[in-house]
Amino acid sequence: MVKNAPILIPVVYLTACLVIALIRPRFRHFAYPVTLVAVSLASAISIGMLCLVIQYGIMRYQFGGWVPPIGIEYVIDPLSGFVLVVINAVACLVLIHSLNVNKVEMDQRLVPYYAVVMLFMLGLNGMVLTGDFFNLFVFLEISSLAAYGLIAVGSKGSAFAAFRYLILGTVGASLYLLGLGFLYLKTGSLNMADLAAIIPFVQPQKDPALIIALVLMTTGICIKMAIVPLHGWLPDAYTLAPSVTSSLIAPIGTKVAAYVLIRMLFGVYGVDVISREFPITFVLGWLAAAGIIYGSVMAIAQTELKRMLAYSSVAQVGYIGLGISMANPLGLIGAVLHVLNHAVMKACLFLVAANLRIQTGHSDISRFDHTYRVKMPWTMAAFTVAAISMIGLPPLAGFFSKWYLALGAIENSQWIFLGVILVSSLLNAVYFFRIIEKVYMKSPGDHAAKEEPAVKFGSVEPALSMLVPTIVFAVLLIGLGLFNALIVTRLILPMLPPGM
Amino acid sequence: MNDLTYISYIPLWAVLVSLAAVPLILMSSRKPNLRETWTLLAAGIKFLLVFSLLPGALEGKSAVIGLLEISPGVDLALKADPFGVFFALISSGLWMFTSIYSIGYMRGNREHKQTRYFASFAVCLSATIGIAFSANLLTFIIFYEILTIATYPLVIHKETREAIRGGRQYLLYTLTAGLLLIAAAAWTYMATGSMEFKAGGFFEGTELSSAAMTTLFFLFLGGVGVKAGIMPLHSWLPTAMVAPTPVSALLHAVAVVKAGVFGVIRVVGFVFGPEVMAAHGLNIILAVFAATTIILASLLAFKQENLKRRLAYSTVGHLSYIVLGAALLTPSGFTGGLMHIATHATMKITLFFCAGAIYINLHRENISQLNGIAKIMPWTMAAFVIGSLGLAGVPPVNGFVSKWYLAMGALEADQLVVLGIFILSGLLNAGYFFPIIHRAYFRKGEGLKGHKEASALMVVPLVATALLSVLIGLRPDLFFHIFELAGGIARSITGVVP
């Protein structure tokens, strides 16, 4: 049983997908419980595996008994175990939240929607589980195709946003595949561990093909990760997608791409190649830094909450990219910790946006006033906590990832990056306090005369299925902040690649 | 070293007691009397807890408690060293007076959202005590940022356009400062491998160049200097005077700004240390900033027509007395600076209480409207006179004691210029306070008929703090042993017996 644990997660998701697809439209409300069972099972399995990996070391699962590099294998090491827990646990809470949201936003399409959600989760989990680059491409395509579908069912314009994402996403995947082709030609292997052993002998600094492979694959993944200037698909996709889709994709979608980047750069090519012999991290660092500033500035300019959060995601992914680019332990700790912290923060914020949309029919910042706080005190409290964490004030979670990133920047004497990290905190403060100020202080009289606020349920706190996950995320932020040292020493330090 | 520390949970309880009061305050928002009981209870217990640490602090011992590892190798830890106890004693002691005064002020003015007000106030006090008892830079930063956030609702309390603008400016300044402090702490950690505060500093033997040292010092100065009101980082303070007066009194004369000054002394005496400061000429940078601030703030105070704004500029000036005292790096300089933390607190809180009482009673804020008010508010104005005399440095009010030691410190360091600045500023203080007294006592007022002294809930605290100022001036070692404590801290930082 334990030996077969790695394959269980894909099996669970695939089964759930098939079961949901078979549900007749009349019984469409059964799709939700089936989804929940699947995602909670997957969360439990991933937590269990992480514990095992921390205790007993890396777990490997070989398909059909074929020994790699001939066969495909799944590898659970501390890094992939950690990312698995993050994506499944966050998705679990988000999907619990989805009950009422989906009833309102797409009542007739529940069955296909949840089926595609399961495919999406299957894709993401597969990308993290696999130890094989080509297998990773397959899962990448599964998750991407599912994501296009999940986005396209949204409001007006979402089909266009999904199409744009499809074009860019396909370009990214193709670049990745092309790079992989070079890699395979030169080394004859697709297995990550195998490649890591071969590459030092091929001497990438003397072989342009390997460098081209590195560049192509990195570019492809950066599109998926939405590193500026390859982020064009993200703002529209997050804004126009249905609420559940954006709160599902925003926290975990880009994180898996970040995971693949870490895997490829540090796990396969190694620190020496990427930072000294062919400093691709130099380019990545500057792009990430530019992305942090660009995303934050654009977020300030937005008047719609979800779009603001989308640009904020562009900035936050920049932090992760920046941490990776530092290629030192502290930077990598910051990046991995930020994968976790940002997943929780963004999930919390997108759930708040969903709560607002369901309860009041909009998430337009200019229409916020203090009745929102009076009617929805808990939602707004959660928003405030997440916002303060995003700004990066201690002792909330967001501070600590920035703290490690700052330490990493100092270690590399990258003073400009240190400045970027600090300045972006201020920019974050600008766009979040703008909302907090409105919600806690603006009197409703200012615009009540002009328009009748569109109210569906009556503006009160949403149903418990929506409120509880939102608050759980907010509480998690405090917990993750206080106990970050535990996470870093127990979980993140063991995953640092050799050579650091 | 170990005989100087002992493990105790008291610092933790002292931090948490007002935090524990917050839910109670929020839950009893419908019953104002019960709600205020919680505040008073928390204030009283907090003071007693801090007071119980005093005997140990007088022997130079520190109560320590490590809570949890907050970052690998760095604990979230509290350490009630003599300096921390000194600051905590002043803040928690004056919180009791402010709590009583707040009740009178908020009810007298029928303020809205009083629950939020009292809850935020309690969080602020927790953060202040946390700052006082922080054992290392990271813990310090955590409480420092909590203080920033918790003060924000108090600054914008009125929710007018002006208040919101003041709040924005406040956040802009303090959040930027927090970031600089984070950068400074991170750099310190990378350079020395430590963030533990240590009397005499922990920077000796590091390989930083002088230029790097200076940059680092400027980062620290930007970090703690904003709350300490060092020019040109002071301008949030006069703007923040839109807050209700008790907030200005406790936070913008005692807790928040003194947390900044406390931070400056922590940085000077416990991070860099006097020797490193002197070796890299950092004390001169600090002294120049502080001296300029003292003079400019005193001059700017003349221009202020609004009473609270004049008091705010006076605060900016007096905060830099403390900074300048520390920058002298002599035992008497530190003693004087530390004493001034205490003495300025009691005097300035008295003056702000007076300003608030006048505002609630007569709805007058401007100095030109104060003609003849001493006739109807004798107690308030008497307290105001005591406070003003003290700030100008007239004995026997306690301002004299701290200025005396500051002057001694200037002589010890052979800095006659600094001595001159202290004397000049004393005269300027007299110059901007005495016209107010003159108006109140010797000019004929208008429209004062039918008004009486403010309510006892306000008058009693302000008379009490005025008396406290005189008492500390006469017997600095009575009850709280402030002088003994200050001397001990100065010795531990400089290693010299004054």
Side-chain angles (χ1 to χ4, degrees), chain A residues 58 63 88 94 96 131 145 177 200 221 233 257 270 278 285 290 292 308 328 345 359 375 428 447 459 474:
Chain A
I58 298 172
F63 274 81
N88 286 313
V94 170
I96 292 175
L145 289 171
L177 190 62
I221 297 164
W233 58 271
F278 185 77
I292 293 174
M308 186 192 96
N328 64 22
M345 291 189 273
Q359 297 305 104
K375 295 281 172 62
N428 276 323
H447 58 67
S459 296

Side-chain angles (χ1 to χ4, degrees), chain A residues 24 99 194 269 299 301 315 339 377 397 477-478:
Chain A
R24 303 177 63 129
L99 176 63
D194 200 32
Y269 276 85
V339 165
L477 284 175
I478 301 171

Side-chain angles (χ1 to χ4, degrees), chain B residues 440-462:
Chain B
Y441 279 92
F442 302 115
R443 291 224 190 156
K444 252 180 108 65
E446 287 168 13
L448 295 171
K449 272 192 194 133
H451 288 288
K452 279 186 276 184
E453 183 60 281
S455 85
L457 279 171
M458 286 189 276
V459 174
V460 171
L462 67 88

